[in-house]
Amino acid sequence: MELSINYSDIVKVYRMEQTYVMVKPDGVQRGLVGKIISRIERRGLKIISLKMNVIKEATAKEHYSEHETTSFFTSLVKFVISGPSISMVVAGKDAIMVMRTIAGATNPVDAAPGTIRGDFSLDIGRNIIHASDSTDAAAREIAIHFKDSEIWEYSKIDEVCIYE
Ligand code: IDP
Ligand code: MG
């Protein structure tokens, strides 16, 4: 197959959407990091930053600030800082909504088979993965968890096959 498309043009057009993804401590404890990363990569999305850390309490509170007034806020924050988690910045066309779909519904009871939550979890408080839910949330969450210098906007050789 001859690929006569200008590679640099494609990168310019399609690298624009970025989202924040976390494999929460339950996903790390259950050895699901590799499977989750595989699902992201096989879809054609590009990991442009990745780290393991134990998130600081203040960072977790900021990350989940929209839920501050809920009954589950304290236990949610406590859980998310309870052990190492994986933080990623994932890039690609429609990366935010595509990652939400890959993650599945918040409550695993409602999550479709084939989604991460639908395949690997049962309890809303142990639903394995976080993915930003909007462009504003993605920008906010990436800034909370990453410095600009930790994000790598590289080209990937298969982008000519992934994007028209
Ligand atoms: P999301 O993770 O799908 O974006 P959100 O509604 O933003 O879902 O809630 C953030 C996280 O808080 C969820 O992933 C889940 O772990 C937890 N959570 C949400 N609702 C409940 C609840 O009713 N009980 C316990 N935990 C909840
Ligand atoms: Mg959310």
Side-chain angles (χ1 to χ4, degrees):
M1 184 172 72
E2 191 182 321
L3 294 171
S4 58
I5 301 157
N6 186 323
Y7 177 57
S8 53
D9 283 351
I10 289 169
V11 172
K12 216 183 309 170
V13 172
Y14 285 118
R15 74 177 179 198
M16 58 323 180
E17 211 166 82
Q18 300 183 355
T19 189
Y20 172 70
V21 176
M22 184 201 306
V23 182
K24 298 182 188 177
D26 48 345
V28 173
Q29 289 297 318
R30 292 179 55 199
L32 295 172
V33 175
K35 286 194 173 77
I36 290 166
I37 288 175
S38 274
R39 286 171 180 230
I40 294 168
E41 289 183 324
R42 76 183 184 186
R43 187 65 186 266
L45 292 170
K46 178 165 62 178
I47 295 168
I48 61 171
S49 197
L50 185 152
K51 64 184 172 190
M52 173 180 273
N53 64 340
V54 178
I55 292 174
K56 291 187 167 51
E57 185 174 353
T59 308
K61 284 182 170 166
E62 194 182 351
H63 173 89
Y64 280 126
S65 57
E66 67 172 303
H67 300 297
E68 224 160 35
T69 57
T70 66
S71 58
F72 59 85
F73 180 71
T74 305
S75 60
L76 176 62
V77 168
K78 190 176 165 202
F79 176 66
V80 95
I81 66 173
S82 66
S85 56
I86 301 290
S87 280
M88 288 177 259
V89 181
V90 172
K93 184 169 184 282
D94 300 317
I96 296 165
M97 291 328 289
V98 170
M99 259 322 304
R100 290 288 293 184
T101 304
I102 292 173
T106 303
N107 191 338
V109 172
D110 304 319
T115 65
I116 290 166
R117 287 163 170 171
D119 286 349
F120 299 123
S121 66
L122 286 171
D123 194 318
I124 194 167
R126 296 290 184 273
N127 62 0
I128 308 275
I129 186 164
H130 169 86
S132 310
D133 66 4
S134 65
T135 47
D136 285 354
R140 194 182 77 86
E141 292 169 7
I142 290 169
I144 288 173
H145 296 279
F146 290 92
K147 299 180 197 136
D148 282 351
S149 61
E150 293 176 313
I151 297 171
W152 303 95
E153 294 194 27
Y154 61 99
S155 300
K156 216 156 144 288
I157 199 84
D158 60 2
E159 283 165 356
V160 288
C161 300
I162 292 167
Y163 298 117
E164 180 178 5

